[in-house]
Amino acid sequence: MKDLMGKAIWDYFHNENPEDLQTETSISELDELPVEYLFRDFEDMNDIEQKALELAQGKVLDIGAGAGSHALYLQNERNLDVLALDISPKSTEVCKLRGIKKAVCNNMLDFSGETFDTILLLMNGTGIFQSLEKIDSYLQKLHALVSDKGSILIDSTDILYMFDRDEDGGVYIPAGGYYGELDYIVHYKGESEDPIKWLYLDFTTLKNAAENNGFTIEKVMQDEDSYLAKLTKK
């Protein structure tokens, strides 16, 4: 991993000639992602993010923390005990430099040793699951990390709207797998990250997977094609 997302976050924080990130997927064209978006305040976050941060309580694990904006808000404004977890070394360093007291660079599957009252996976949190084939491993890990009375707040988008429809409203979905399984590529300053697997889940598919792995699940919020779900242990 070249850690291009982390490089962009590092450059922006240190004002070292940051540039916009460029992202693309196997079904979408190149898109600009301003790095400053990753540093936004609570007021500039979308409704799903704000709702998740309002619901967070107790000891919190922020998975895929990025530049740390969610964790920073919970720590400084909600006075919660927060651990920011990210696979990117440079992002983790920026989290620490921004004042997050607990920031760890690790893959969530390799992280252990404590449990949490709230686990956050935001900005299409299901993406980290990679594919339907691996979703059970991730959900079982989350089951081990969340406390018995705790909850997991995770968001995603049903990307069915991105596919063409026929005159009768039927959707043209490519054969050979679930339509939400994509390759995701990040570009920064002329470099390209190797493609990673990224998973967008419709709510019903997430619900079935969650219930098969010892969770009850409710949809907390719907915003057009995106939603926020809350998972708790059965």
Side-chain angles (χ1 to χ4, degrees), residues 86-97:
D86 202 283
I87 199 170
S88 160
K90 285 189 175 295
S91 296
T92 305
E93 284 303 311
V94 170
C95 283
K96 294 175 181 177
L97 291 169

Side-chain angles (χ1 to χ4, degrees), residues 2-228:
K2 298 178 182 177
D3 195 16
L4 297 184
M5 185 74 72
K7 287 181 180 178
I9 288 171
W10 179 272
D11 288 350
Y12 183 87
F13 180 78
H14 292 284
N15 197 25
E16 293 182 359
N17 301 312
E19 297 178 7
D20 288 347
L21 287 151
Q22 292 183 313
T23 63
E24 61 180 316
T25 74
S26 45
I27 64 167
S28 63
E29 298 177 350
L30 211 61
D31 193 21
E32 298 285 338
L33 174 61
V35 187
E36 64 186 70
Y37 179 77
L38 305 176
F39 287 81
R40 64 202 182 284
D41 294 329
F42 180 84
E43 293 74 17
D44 296 320
M45 295 178 189
N46 64 42
D47 292 343
I48 284 178
E49 291 172 287
Q50 290 184 359
K51 183 66 173 178
L53 296 180
E54 289 167 357
L55 291 173
Q57 58 185 347
K59 185 178 173 185
V60 181
L61 175 64
D62 181 14
I63 296 177
S69 295
H70 298 138
L72 204 61
Y73 172 80
L74 293 175
Q75 174 187 282
N76 294 351
E77 303 301 326
R78 295 280 316 281
N79 297 314
L80 296 179
D81 179 4
V82 187
L83 191 152
L85 183 71
D86 202 283
I87 199 170
S88 160
K90 285 189 175 295
S91 296
T92 305
E93 284 303 311
V94 170
C95 283
K96 294 175 181 177
L97 291 169
R98 294 184 75 190
I100 295 174
K101 297 174 184 177
K102 298 179 182 177
V104 175
C105 180
N106 206 343
N107 186 308
M108 66 163 279
L109 293 177
D110 299 323
F111 179 76
S112 61
E114 50 187 316
T115 58
F116 299 85
D117 302 307
T118 303
I119 297 178
L120 296 177
L121 296 102
L122 299 178
M123 297 180 68
N124 192 57
T126 65
I128 199 172
F129 298 158
Q130 301 182 63
S131 67
L132 290 186
E133 182 182 2
K134 296 184 178 182
I135 191 171
D136 288 347
S137 297
Y138 282 92
L139 287 172
Q140 289 165 18
K141 182 64 177 183
L142 289 170
H143 200 278
L145 288 172
V146 69
S147 62
D148 289 341
K149 301 295 183 182
S151 61
I152 297 161
L153 298 167
I154 184 168
D155 69 335
S156 194
T157 300
D158 184 352
I159 62 169
L160 195 62
Y161 73 92
M162 296 182 69
F163 295 86
D164 293 332
R165 296 178 181 270
D166 60 27
E167 294 179 358
D168 298 323
V171 183
Y172 294 109
I173 299 175
Y178 176 65
Y179 66 85
E181 294 178 341
L182 304 181
D183 290 329
Y184 185 81
I185 306 170
V186 173
H187 309 276
Y188 183 65
K189 288 188 173 180
E191 291 189 86
S192 298
E193 199 76 74
D194 291 335
I196 62 170
K197 296 297 182 182
W198 198 250
L199 182 63
Y200 291 90
L201 282 176
D202 67 277
F203 180 74
T204 300
T205 302
L206 176 60
K207 181 176 185 291
N208 292 337
E211 291 175 345
N212 288 337
N213 284 278
F215 290 106
T216 59
I217 180 173
E218 64 174 301
K219 186 188 292 183
V220 176
M221 184 177 182
Q222 181 85 36
D223 184 5
E224 296 184 346
D225 295 292
S226 299
Y227 64 88
L228 175 67

